Amino acid sequence: DLGFQNIHYYAAAATKYGTEAKGGYEYDGKSYDAVFAHVDGYQTCNQCHNPHTLELQLEGCADCHEGVTSAEDLRDVRMAGSLVDYDGDGDLEEGVFYETQGLQEILYQAMRDYAAEVAGTPIVYDAASYPYWFTDEEERYSAWTPRLLKAAYNYQVSKKDPGEYAHGGKYIIQLL
């Protein structure tokens, strides 16, 4: 009787507000980051994004993040206080974007292994096709276990915010 429920389109606010918004599935006994506090002057959506187009306003970014001239450059940002190799690839220099991307890959593979071995039905993710989770025969996935469903939800949360690494990377890392 279990089925996948999708988080709302573009989960940026849920990512930014972390455990206060509880946008992801949070496991009992684990701690999760609250509101991502950037620096003064860059705390609200409108301070980083054009309120009409959502395009990034990058003018002030380079003041703290050397070499940032495009939105893609923000993928390489890693703050000095983040000295953990979250995805286990040995690279402590890569931006948080790449850490979350690495964790997404690890979680997705773990889900595929679990689905095949425990749930008994292989699972495939397609970000461009609702309901996102399918069997390898392209049918809607229905062999959910509670554990697999929780992992799938958190995976989807991480995928539905294209700026997750900047909005609340620590929260996404904790969910993954």
Short mmCIF file of all heavy atoms in Angstrom, two decimals, residues 14-21 26 31-37 167-168 170-171 174:
data_model
loop_
_atom_site.label_atom_id
_atom_site.label_comp_id
_atom_site.label_asym_id
_atom_site.label_seq_id
_atom_site.Cartn_x
_atom_site.Cartn_y
_atom_site.Cartn_z
N ALA A 14 12.64 24.79 1.22
CA ALA A 14 12.76 23.67 2.15
C ALA A 14 14.22 23.37 2.45
O ALA A 14 14.59 23.06 3.58
CB ALA A 14 12.07 22.43 1.58
N THR A 15 15.07 23.50 1.44
CA THR A 15 16.50 23.28 1.65
C THR A 15 17.09 24.37 2.52
O THR A 15 17.82 24.10 3.47
CB THR A 15 17.24 23.25 0.29
OG1 THR A 15 16.67 22.21 -0.51
CG2 THR A 15 18.71 22.99 0.47
N LYS A 16 16.77 25.62 2.23
CA LYS A 16 17.32 26.74 3.00
C LYS A 16 16.90 26.67 4.46
O LYS A 16 17.69 26.93 5.35
CB LYS A 16 16.88 28.08 2.41
CG LYS A 16 17.40 29.24 3.28
CD LYS A 16 17.20 30.57 2.67
CE LYS A 16 17.64 31.72 3.53
NZ LYS A 16 18.80 31.56 4.38
N TYR A 17 15.66 26.30 4.72
CA TYR A 17 15.16 26.29 6.10
C TYR A 17 15.38 24.97 6.82
O TYR A 17 15.02 24.82 7.98
CB TYR A 17 13.70 26.74 6.14
CG TYR A 17 13.61 28.22 5.91
CD1 TYR A 17 13.44 28.74 4.64
CD2 TYR A 17 13.77 29.11 6.97
CE1 TYR A 17 13.41 30.11 4.42
CE2 TYR A 17 13.75 30.47 6.76
CZ TYR A 17 13.57 30.97 5.48
OH TYR A 17 13.55 32.32 5.27
N GLY A 18 15.99 24.00 6.15
CA GLY A 18 16.42 22.77 6.77
C GLY A 18 15.39 22.13 7.68
O GLY A 18 14.23 21.98 7.33
N THR A 19 15.83 21.78 8.88
CA THR A 19 14.96 21.06 9.80
C THR A 19 13.78 21.89 10.28
O THR A 19 12.78 21.33 10.74
CB THR A 19 15.75 20.48 10.99
OG1 THR A 19 14.94 19.53 11.68
CG2 THR A 19 16.21 21.57 11.94
N GLU A 20 13.85 23.21 10.14
CA GLU A 20 12.70 24.03 10.52
C GLU A 20 11.54 23.79 9.57
O GLU A 20 10.39 23.80 9.98
CB GLU A 20 13.08 25.51 10.56
CG GLU A 20 13.95 25.84 11.75
CD GLU A 20 14.14 27.32 11.95
OE1 GLU A 20 13.28 28.12 11.53
OE2 GLU A 20 15.17 27.69 12.55
N ALA A 21 11.83 23.57 8.29
CA ALA A 21 10.77 23.29 7.31
C ALA A 21 10.48 21.80 7.21
O ALA A 21 9.41 21.40 6.78
CB ALA A 21 11.17 23.84 5.94
N GLU A 26 13.39 13.00 7.97
CA GLU A 26 14.40 13.06 9.01
C GLU A 26 14.26 11.85 9.93
O GLU A 26 13.19 11.59 10.47
CB GLU A 26 14.27 14.37 9.78
CG GLU A 26 14.51 15.58 8.90
CD GLU A 26 14.45 16.91 9.64
OE1 GLU A 26 14.37 16.91 10.89
OE2 GLU A 26 14.49 17.95 8.97
N SER A 31 20.52 14.44 13.97
CA SER A 31 20.35 15.90 14.02
C SER A 31 20.48 16.45 12.60
O SER A 31 21.23 15.90 11.79
CB SER A 31 21.37 16.54 14.96
OG SER A 31 22.67 16.28 14.51
N TYR A 32 19.75 17.52 12.37
CA TYR A 32 19.70 18.13 11.04
C TYR A 32 19.90 19.63 11.15
O TYR A 32 19.42 20.26 12.10
CB TYR A 32 18.37 17.81 10.34
CG TYR A 32 18.23 16.34 10.05
CD1 TYR A 32 17.69 15.47 10.99
CD2 TYR A 32 18.68 15.81 8.85
CE1 TYR A 32 17.58 14.11 10.73
CE2 TYR A 32 18.58 14.45 8.59
CZ TYR A 32 18.03 13.61 9.54
OH TYR A 32 17.94 12.26 9.28
N ASP A 33 20.57 20.19 10.17
CA ASP A 33 20.86 21.61 10.13
C ASP A 33 19.57 22.42 9.99
O ASP A 33 18.66 22.01 9.27
CB ASP A 33 21.79 21.89 8.94
CG ASP A 33 22.61 23.14 9.11
OD1 ASP A 33 23.05 23.41 10.24
OD2 ASP A 33 22.84 23.83 8.10
N ALA A 34 19.53 23.55 10.66
CA ALA A 34 18.36 24.44 10.57
C ALA A 34 18.59 25.44 9.44
O ALA A 34 19.25 25.12 8.45
CB ALA A 34 18.13 25.13 11.89
N VAL A 35 18.09 26.63 9.58
CA VAL A 35 18.19 27.65 8.54
C VAL A 35 19.65 27.89 8.16
O VAL A 35 20.50 28.09 9.02
CB VAL A 35 17.57 28.97 9.02
CG1 VAL A 35 17.73 30.07 7.97
CG2 VAL A 35 16.12 28.79 9.37
N PHE A 36 19.92 27.83 6.85
CA PHE A 36 21.27 28.12 6.38
C PHE A 36 21.51 29.61 6.51
O PHE A 36 20.84 30.43 5.88
CB PHE A 36 21.45 27.68 4.92
CG PHE A 36 22.77 28.10 4.34
CD1 PHE A 36 23.96 27.60 4.86
CD2 PHE A 36 22.83 28.99 3.30
CE1 PHE A 36 25.18 28.00 4.34
CE2 PHE A 36 24.03 29.38 2.76
CZ PHE A 36 25.22 28.89 3.29
N ALA A 37 22.45 29.97 7.36
CA ALA A 37 22.78 31.38 7.59
C ALA A 37 24.02 31.73 6.78
O ALA A 37 25.12 31.25 7.08
CB ALA A 37 23.02 31.63 9.06
N HIS A 167 21.87 26.65 -1.15
CA HIS A 167 20.72 26.97 -0.30
C HIS A 167 20.81 26.34 1.08
O HIS A 167 20.33 26.90 2.05
CB HIS A 167 19.41 26.53 -0.97
CG HIS A 167 19.14 27.24 -2.23
ND1 HIS A 167 18.60 26.61 -3.33
CD2 HIS A 167 19.34 28.53 -2.60
CE1 HIS A 167 18.47 27.48 -4.31
NE2 HIS A 167 18.91 28.65 -3.91
N GLY A 168 21.38 25.18 1.16
CA GLY A 168 21.50 24.46 2.44
C GLY A 168 22.20 23.13 2.22
O GLY A 168 21.65 22.07 2.49
N LYS A 170 24.50 21.58 3.75
CA LYS A 170 24.69 20.70 4.92
C LYS A 170 23.42 19.89 5.18
O LYS A 170 23.49 18.69 5.49
CB LYS A 170 25.06 21.53 6.14
CG LYS A 170 25.40 20.68 7.34
CD LYS A 170 25.89 21.54 8.50
CE LYS A 170 26.18 20.68 9.72
NZ LYS A 170 26.54 21.51 10.87
N TYR A 171 22.27 20.51 5.07
CA TYR A 171 21.01 19.79 5.28
C TYR A 171 20.86 18.68 4.24
O TYR A 171 20.50 17.55 4.57
CB TYR A 171 19.82 20.77 5.21
CG TYR A 171 18.48 20.11 5.48
CD1 TYR A 171 18.17 19.60 6.73
CD2 TYR A 171 17.52 20.01 4.48
CE1 TYR A 171 16.94 19.00 6.99
CE2 TYR A 171 16.30 19.42 4.72
CZ TYR A 171 16.01 18.93 5.98
OH TYR A 171 14.79 18.32 6.21
N GLN A 174 23.10 15.83 5.02
CA GLN A 174 22.56 15.04 6.13
C GLN A 174 21.41 14.15 5.66
O GLN A 174 21.31 13.00 6.10
CB GLN A 174 22.09 15.96 7.25
CG GLN A 174 23.25 16.66 7.95
CD GLN A 174 22.81 17.84 8.79
OE1 GLN A 174 21.80 18.49 8.52
NE2 GLN A 174 23.60 18.15 9.81
#
